[in-house]
Amino acid sequence: MSFRTSPGTPASPPSPADYVEDVSPGGGVLPPRAWYAASDARSLSLNGRWDFRLSPAADTEDDSFAAEGYEPGGWAEVQVPGHWVMQGHGSPIYTNHLYPFPVDPPRVPAENPTGDHLRRFDLPPDWPADGGTVLRFDGVESCARVWLNGTDLGTFQGSRLPHEFAVGHLLRPDGNVLAVRVHQWSAGSYLEDQDQWWLPGIFRDVTLLHRPPGSALDFFVHASYDHREGLGTLRVDSDVDGRVLVPGLDIDVATGTPVTLPVLPWTAETPRLYDGELVTEGERVPLRIGFRTVELHDGLIKVNGTAVLFKGVNRHEWHPEKGRALDPETMLADVLLMKRHNINAVRTSHYPPHPAFLDLCDTYGLWVVDECDLETHGFTEQAWRDNPADDPRWTPALLDRAARTVERDKNHPSVVLWSLGNEAGTGRGLTAMAEWIRARDTSRLVHYEGDHDCRDTDVYSRMYTDHAEVERIGRHQDGGGLKRRRLPFILCEYGHAMGNGPGGLADYQRLFTSYDRLQGGFVWEWIDHGIADERHGFAYGGDFGEELHDGNFVCDGLLFPDRTPSPGLVEYKKVIEPVRVDGGDSFSPPGGRREAAAGWDGTVRVTNGYDFTDLSHLAFEWSYQVDGRSAGSGPLVVPALAPGETADVKLPAPPVDPRGAGARWTVRAVLADDTVWAPRGHVVAWTQLSVAEPAPPSVTASAPPVPGERVITLGPGTFDARTGALLAVGGVEVTGPRLDVWRAPTDNDNGAHWQSDARHGPLWRALGLHRMRHRPDAVEAGDDSLTVRTRVAPAARDVGLRTVYRWTSDGTRLRLTVSVTPEGRWTLPLPRLGVRLGLAASADRVTWLGGGPGEGYPDTGSACAYGLWESTVDALQTPYVRPQENGARPGVHRAEIGGLRIEGDPAFWFTARRWTTEQLDAAEHRADLLPGDTVWVNLDHGQQGIGSQSCGPGALPRYRLWPAPAEFSFVFSEITD
Ligand code: GAL
C-alpha cells in the first residue's frame, strides 16, 4: 500500500485494513448502473436485525468472523439499515468542516470504530436456480469489506452511493452468511467532510437481486421535449437489447430506436409521467418516463423553453432517531411538506439521497439538483494544500463517485442539474468529473458552487451572498470572466435557517423576481439535525462529549427535528407563493398590515407567478374582517391566467361599514380540487389589505393620583409609592412594567465566528444590555398623572436611556406613555425596545388582535396575518432546539391575558412566556426551560430584525433598531366582562 511508508523505510507488515487508507474507490464491485426499485426479477431484502460487534480499531479483531461456521456468541444486534451510533454503540460526532481526526491524507486515526455485521439468510424456496444474483448495498458509511459464505468479495468506499457484487456463484438455498466489516474512518472520509453528524453504519438497504439470463444491465432513458412542436422524443439505450413499451403512447420500439410523437411534458409543476417498460429477454423493468429538455439558452436555465425560478431547499437526509437511515414514510413526508409549502426545488445536499426520494420527486414534481457525495472542506484550514480534489491520486475516486451518482440517477426526469459536490475547493479532479459527466449526459447542466470562475460549471452559483451583491449580479454588474458573465445565477445556499429566522427572505425574493439572471435559490436547510435525547429534548454537537464540535450549527433547518414546520418554513411558503395579489399598496410591514393606497377602488391585481401552469387549478375567495372577525366572504372570479399574466379583479362592495374598527380584505387562492399532495381548499397564496385601521385607544386623563403611605393609586392602578412601579390593575397583580431592551440572542444575532461584519449578539452582551440597571430618579404625582423618571443603563458604560413613564387614567383604564431618550454615544442597534411586565402563573390563555398565528419579527413576518387569535402561553413558544428569543406576535393592537386587557398606541409586538428572557438566554436545550411562578409579558415598540448572520448577511439596515428618541403608549384595564 504505497502511501503507508516513505521510500527507504522498511515496509510494515501488511495490515488487513490496508484498503481502509487506500485512495482508490475499492475493489471487487460491479460497474455502476441505473437503479430501479423493482422489476419482475426476484429480489430479497436483507434489511432487518443483524448480529453486530463493535471494536475500537480497524484491526482489533481478525477477519475470522467472516469464515464459514463462525458463531457470533456474545454479539449484540443492530437494525439494518441503521447507524450503530444511533443504536447505543458508540456516539455520534458533529463537526461542520473540521475533520475530527488529524489531517494526514489518506491516513486515518488508529482509533477507528469498526462494526462487524453478520446476517444469516435462506433463499426463498422458489428462488430461481438459473441466471446470476447481485448483492446491492445502497449506502454504507464509510468503508466496507464484504464476505459471503466465507468468500472475500471486495471492499468499497463512497458512503452514499450504491455498490454491487456478483454473488450468484456463492449462494446456496439455506444457511448463507453475509459478513460485512464497516470502518467509521477511511480514506473516503477525507471526501465526505459534509457539515453533518459522522454516522457510521449500513444505513441504507441491502438487497439481493436475482439476474435472470437475458436480464437488463444498464439502460439510459432519453426523453426530451420540443416545446415549439409539442413533441417528445424517446430513446432508451440499453446494454442488453430489448423492446421499449409505453402503452399510453402506443410505443413499442426496439431499444436504441428514437421515436418522436406528441406528448405532455414533465415539469415540476406538471409532473406528467408515462409508464413504460424495458423488456429484455429475461426481465421486464418498469420505466417512468418524463419528457423534458433542460438547456442553457440566452444565459438562462430553461426547461422546455421556459426559464425556471428555483424556490428551493437544501435537503440533508435526517430523522431524529434514525439519522440518515430514512424510511419511505419520512421521505414522503418531506416531499409532501415541500409541495404544501410552495417549494419547487431540492438540492440534495451534499450527496445523492436514497433513490426512492428521487422517485417521489418525479411523481410529485420537484426540480432536483443531484449532488455528488464529495466535500473536502476541512482542507480550507491549510489553504487547500493537499486537497484531494486537486490531487491526481484521488481522481479515480472522484470519478467513481461522479459515475455512481450519474449512472444511478440518470433516469429521473426530476434531476435537472448534476452537482459535482460541495466545498471541495477547485482542482483537476473536479474538472475531470465535470468532463466525464458532460460526456456521459448531455441532457443536463453541471453545477458546482466552489468554482466562482465557472470553469467547470454551467451555472454561476454562490452561497450566502448578501442582497446588494445579488442585485449587482442580477444587473450584470458583478464583473467576473467572460464565461461567468454569460451564465445564469443561483444561490445554492441562502437564508440560513438556524434558530429564529431566517430574516430577509422576502427581500431576496423581490430580487429574484426582478432580474431574469437570478434564477432563485435554495434555503439552507430543510431540517434541523437534532437527535432525540432524553436528557435534552434534542441533542446537538457537543452533547456526546465530542472533543471537537460545532454545537448547534447542525440545527439550521426550516423543520424542527421532529418535522414540525418552524416559523421559517411558514415564512418561506408565503414569500415564494406562486400567485401575487396586490391592492395598489406599496408598503408591507410584518403583521399583515398591507395598507391599501388612499383612494383605492377595491381592485386587486392578480399575477400568475408559476412558470408553466395557468391558474385554473385554483379557486379564489375573498373575505372581509372587522377587528379580526369575519363579516362576509365569497368566491372571487379570477381568469385562468397564463404564467406571468396579470388581471385586475374588482372586489365586491364592503359587506359592512367598519365604523371606526379595523377592516381588512383577505384574498386567498386555494386548490380547487384534491391533488396528490394536498386536499382541495389547501391555501396556496393569500394577501391581506387593510382598508381601515382600528381607532387608537383613548383615555381621558380625569382621575387624580391618590398618594398613600406605601402606595399611590390612580384609577384602577396601584403603584409603589417609593419606586413608582405598577403593582396592580384593579384585582390583577402586576410586576413592572419597566423598560426592557434585552432579548435572548438568536443564532442569527450571535452570528458565525468567521463573519467580518458586526455581530450584534456578542456586542450587545459586551455592552451589558443583558444587565441594565434602572435608577428611579423621581416619582411625581401631578393633578391627573403619575410620572416616574428613570435612567436605564448598563454598569461600566456611559450610554443610557432616559426613560419617563407617564400614567394617566379615566377611572377605569390606565394609560402608560413611555418616552425614551438615548444618552451617550450608542454604536449599536438595540435588541428590542419596550416594556416587560409580570403576571401570575395562572395567566394561561391569550387572545390578541394583530399578527399571527405564528411569530414574526421585522424581516420575518410576511406570513403573519392580521386577525383575532387565541393561544395558551405555552403554545406561543417556538421550540428552537437551542432556546433563544422567539414568539413575538407583530402588529398587535390589543391583547388579553391573565385578566388584563392591553391596547397599544401604536400597535406593538406581543411576547409572553413562563420564564424570563435571562433564563431563556441561559438555556442550552429545551429541557432547561422550566416554568416559574410568573408569566413574563413583553410589549415592544420595536424589535431588531433577524437576518441570517449565523452564516449569511445580518439584518438589512432598514430592519435595525437604532436607539433614537421614542414614545409609545399602552392602555391597561382589568377585564370584567
Ligand atoms: C455551507 C455548507 C453547508 C453548511 C452551511 C452552514 O457553507 O455548504 O454544508 O455547512 O454552510 O450551515
Side-chain angles (χ1 to χ4, degrees):
M1 151 87 217
S2 55
F3 291 102
R4 298 204 64 171
T5 55
S6 43
T9 324
S12 43
S15 148
D18 271 357
Y19 60 93
V20 172
E21 295 180 335
D22 191 345
V23 295
S24 65
V29 291
L30 293 168
R33 63 182 182 120
W35 193 99
Y36 49 92
S39 71
D40 66 339
R42 298 292 303 275
S43 67
L44 177 68
S45 169
L46 298 181
N47 293 350
R49 303 297 291 173
W50 290 43
D51 294 312
F52 176 77
R53 171 183 69 186
L54 182 64
S55 46
D59 54 3
T60 315
E61 300 282 352
D62 64 22
D63 54 17
S64 54
F65 79 104
E68 296 248 51
Y70 181 86
E71 277 304 321
W75 284 37
E77 275 192 359
V78 287
Q79 185 69 27
V80 170
H83 308 275
W84 68 71
V85 291
M86 301 291 279
Q87 301 182 55
H89 306 279
S91 301
I93 299 172
Y94 166 58
T95 56
N96 167 11
H97 77 283
L98 296 178
Y99 289 104
F101 48 79
V103 179
D104 180 23
R107 302 298 310 276
V108 298
E111 303 81 15
N112 189 359
T114 291
D116 292 330
H117 298 68
L118 280 177
R119 173 74 151 97
R120 283 155 206 281
F121 62 94
D122 300 334
L123 291 177
D126 53 349
W127 190 264
D130 59 350
T133 296
V134 157
L135 169 65
R136 183 173 71 199
F137 293 89
D138 283 319
V140 181
E141 179 169 330
S142 79
C143 172
R145 184 169 180 192
V146 184
W147 297 261
L148 182 64
N149 295 335
T151 301
D152 190 351
L153 296 176
T155 66
F156 62 88
Q157 299 174 13
S159 299
R160 298 109 202 170
L161 293 163
H163 294 89
E164 290 181 324
F165 296 96
V167 295
H169 57 298
L170 299 172
L171 285 172
R172 49 192 178 223
D174 303 309
N176 295 286
V177 182
L178 178 59
V180 186
R181 171 163 280 185
V182 180
H183 306 282
Q184 170 150 24
W185 309 120
S186 67
S189 305
Y190 283 96
L191 306 181
E192 296 172 6
D193 192 24
Q194 292 96 342
D195 172 6
Q196 58 178 347
W197 295 99
W198 298 89
L199 298 179
I202 305 173
F203 71 98
R204 285 187 191 156
D205 310 283
V206 183
T207 317
L208 269 188
L209 302 160
H210 178 241
R211 311 308 302 137
S215 57
L217 262 173
D218 191 23
F219 58 92
F220 198 159
V221 177
H222 301 277
S224 60
Y225 182 71
D226 178 343
H227 64 280
R228 286 174 214 85
E229 307 291 336
L231 298 176
T233 298
L234 175 68
R235 193 189 78 227
V236 178
D237 294 336
S238 172
D239 287 0
V240 174
D241 289 343
R243 295 203 68 79
V244 178
L245 311 182
V246 188
L249 293 172
D250 282 337
I251 293 177
D252 179 351
V253 293
T255 51
T257 311
V259 45
T260 299
L261 73 179
V263 297
L264 294 172
W266 189 97
T267 72
E269 293 171 10
T270 56
R272 181 70 169 94
L273 290 173
Y274 292 92
D275 287 330
E277 269 186 319
L278 165 63
V279 183
T280 63
E281 186 197 330
E283 190 177 17
R284 301 180 82 95
V285 181
L287 305 177
R288 301 168 80 234
I289 302 159
F291 291 88
R292 53 115 191 83
T293 292
V294 185
E295 59 184 344
L296 198 60
H297 186 247
D298 290 338
L300 296 173
I301 305 167
K302 292 191 179 174
V303 181
N304 304 335
T306 298
V308 292
L309 185 61
F310 294 119
K311 300 168 175 174
V313 286
N314 281 280
R315 176 180 179 271
H316 266 291
E317 296 183 306
W318 188 249
H319 186 284
E321 279 137 30
K322 301 177 188 155
R324 289 189 283 276
L326 293 201
D327 50 67
E329 297 73 35
T330 303
M331 293 186 238
L332 178 60
D334 278 352
V335 168
L336 294 178
L337 278 163
M338 288 177 192
K339 292 294 286 185
R340 289 173 189 164
H341 288 86
N342 293 332
I343 288 163
N344 72 0
V346 195
R347 173 174 176 237
T348 69
S349 53
H350 298 302
Y351 41 80
H354 189 291
F357 179 76
L358 297 179
D359 285 336
L360 295 170
C361 294
D362 294 342
T363 306
Y364 289 87
L366 287 164
W367 306 118
V368 175
V369 179
D370 192 354
E371 193 149 275
C372 186
D373 191 3
L374 172 65
E375 174 158 341
T376 62
H377 201 174
F379 285 87
T380 188
E381 292 292 309
Q382 52 200 58
W384 295 104
R385 181 173 42 77
D386 294 338
N387 180 12
D390 192 30
D391 179 340
R393 289 175 298 178
W394 293 82
T395 303
L398 267 57
L399 287 172
D400 182 69
R401 284 166 190 254
R404 286 185 188 280
T405 303
V406 171
E407 301 299 5
R408 191 194 78 165
D409 294 344
K410 59 184 179 286
N411 294 328
H412 289 283
S414 55
V415 175
V416 288
L417 273 81
W418 299 117
S419 180
L420 304 181
N422 185 57
E423 296 184 316
T426 53
R428 289 164 283 179
L430 288 159
T431 303
M433 290 170 82
E435 282 171 359
W436 185 89
I437 292 174
R438 287 208 177 88
R440 177 67 177 135
D441 180 16
T442 51
S443 70
R444 294 174 174 97
L445 305 176
V446 173
H447 167 272
Y448 176 61
E449 188 274 341
D451 170 20
H452 292 192
D453 294 331
C454 303
R455 194 174 61 163
D456 300 323
T457 72
D458 299 319
V459 182
Y460 179 28
S461 173
R462 293 274 302 278
M463 47 174 76
Y464 307 109
T465 316
D466 65 29
H467 299 76
E469 187 178 355
V470 169
E471 181 148 33
R472 282 199 299 280
I473 295 168
R475 292 175 189 267
H476 292 268
Q477 291 171 346
D478 58 309
L482 181 63
K483 178 170 180 204
R484 188 177 100 184
R485 293 208 302 273
R486 291 182 174 159
L487 293 184
F489 179 79
I490 64 169
L491 271 174
C492 70
E493 294 179 27
Y494 80 114
H496 198 248
M498 185 178 179
N500 188 335
L505 290 178
D507 307 86
Y508 276 113
Q509 200 63 28
R510 236 169 270 141
L511 296 173
F512 297 159
T513 51
S514 303
Y515 301 99
D516 289 346
R517 187 187 186 195
L518 308 179
Q519 292 199 261
F522 297 77
V523 164
W524 186 268
E525 66 174 304
W526 176 237
I527 183 167
D528 288 341
H529 310 208
I531 295 181
D533 184 286
E534 280 182 6
R535 299 163 298 167
H536 300 306
F538 290 111
Y540 51 76
D543 289 337
F544 299 98
E546 302 104 295
E547 62 177 13
L548 206 62
H549 67 83
D550 287 287
N552 68 318
F553 201 64
V554 78
C555 292
D556 50 2
L558 295 171
L559 295 178
F560 293 118
D562 61 4
R563 288 192 156 65
T564 309
S566 79
L569 182 57
V570 181
E571 169 80 357
Y572 195 39
K573 173 186 177 180
K574 177 80 183 89
V575 162
I576 58 179
E577 59 189 13
V579 181
R580 276 195 62 135
V581 182
D582 295 309
D585 59 313
S586 54
F587 178 57
S588 52
R593 274 184 53 226
R594 290 173 64 124
E595 283 163 27
W600 177 61
D601 71 347
T603 300
V604 290
R605 171 157 294 186
V606 181
T607 306
N608 178 356
Y610 286 101
D611 292 327
F612 297 93
T613 36
D614 67 21
L615 297 187
S616 56
H617 65 293
L618 298 176
F620 286 77
E621 309 165 345
W622 63 266
S623 61
Y624 189 80
Q625 298 93 30
V626 176
D627 274 356
R629 291 183 203 279
S630 178
S633 61
L636 189 69
V637 178
V638 173
L641 302 171
E645 277 186 0
T646 60
D648 288 344
V649 179
K650 188 112 184 340
L651 293 168
V656 291
D657 179 349
R659 293 173 190 277
R664 277 168 170 73
W665 290 100
T666 302
V667 175
R668 302 192 308 165
V670 304
L671 288 178
D673 292 301
D674 289 348
T675 66
V676 288
W677 50 268
R680 176 168 181 248
H682 166 84
V683 178
V684 170
W686 60 273
T687 265
Q688 270 188 334
L689 285 162
S690 161
V691 280
E693 288 297 297
S698 85
V699 174
T700 313
S702 51
V706 182
E709 202 178 316
R710 289 172 174 273
V711 298
I712 301 172
T713 54
L714 172 66
T718 309
F719 297 82
D720 182 311
R722 196 176 57 81
T723 62
L726 178 70
L727 302 173
V729 179
V732 181
E733 286 185 21
V734 175
T735 312
R738 64 180 196 173
L739 194 80
D740 192 11
V741 295
W742 182 240
R743 74 181 185 194
T746 65
D747 292 316
N748 286 313
D749 289 336
N750 286 334
H753 60 84
W754 62 82
Q755 296 280 2
S756 53
D757 278 5
R759 296 189 290 122
H760 290 123
L763 294 173
W764 288 336
R765 207 181 291 278
L767 186 62
L769 298 187
H770 58 307
R771 46 174 170 76
M772 297 291 265
R773 299 298 171 87
H774 298 248
R775 187 187 70 206
D777 286 341
V779 178
E780 300 163 357
D783 289 348
D784 58 5
S785 66
L786 177 69
T787 303
V788 181
R789 299 182 191 281
T790 67
R791 187 172 188 276
V792 182
R797 310 284 171 198
D798 68 349
V799 293
L801 300 166
R802 205 158 271 289
T803 305
V804 179
Y805 307 87
R806 183 165 183 273
W807 295 92
T808 55
S809 174
D810 59 6
T812 52
R813 307 199 299 162
L814 259 184
R815 181 184 185 102
L816 164 64
T817 299
V818 185
S819 310
V820 182
T821 313
E823 291 181 341
R825 214 179 131 253
W826 284 86
T827 53
L828 291 175
L830 296 170
R832 64 167 8 120
L833 181 68
V835 296
R836 188 199 311 189
L837 58 99
L839 295 173
S842 57
D844 182 37
R845 293 218 69 81
V846 185
T847 59
W848 73 100
L849 178 64
E855 71 183 28
Y857 289 79
D859 53 351
T860 67
S862 317
C864 292
Y866 190 87
L868 190 57
W869 302 105
E870 198 176 325
S871 173
T872 60
V873 169
D874 290 336
L876 288 177
Q877 315 308 308
T878 307
Y880 294 111
V881 172
R882 185 191 73 82
Q884 53 197 275
E885 192 65 36
N886 72 83
R889 275 28 181 205
V892 175
H893 283 108
R894 189 180 73 227
E896 297 183 354
I897 177 170
L900 201 62
R901 177 174 298 131
I902 307 159
E903 293 159 276
D905 180 13
F908 58 96
W909 312 77
F910 177 85
T911 309
R913 48 186 164 238
R914 298 192 176 279
W915 32 80
T916 61
T917 305
E918 292 70 22
Q919 289 163 332
L920 183 63
D921 185 14
E924 295 192 340
H925 294 90
R926 288 181 185 179
D928 300 341
L929 290 170
L930 302 174
D933 57 8
T934 304
V935 168
W936 293 101
V937 177
N938 275 91
L939 311 173
D940 290 312
H941 179 59
Q943 278 276 356
Q944 162 83 355
I946 297 291
S948 82
Q949 212 180 5
S950 54
C951 199
L956 287 168
R958 63 176 166 282
Y959 303 124
R960 295 188 193 164
L961 183 65
W962 283 100
E967 190 171 283
F968 45 94
S969 300
F970 305 100
V971 172
F972 299 95
S973 47
E974 187 179 6
I975 301 169
T976 47
D977 40 71

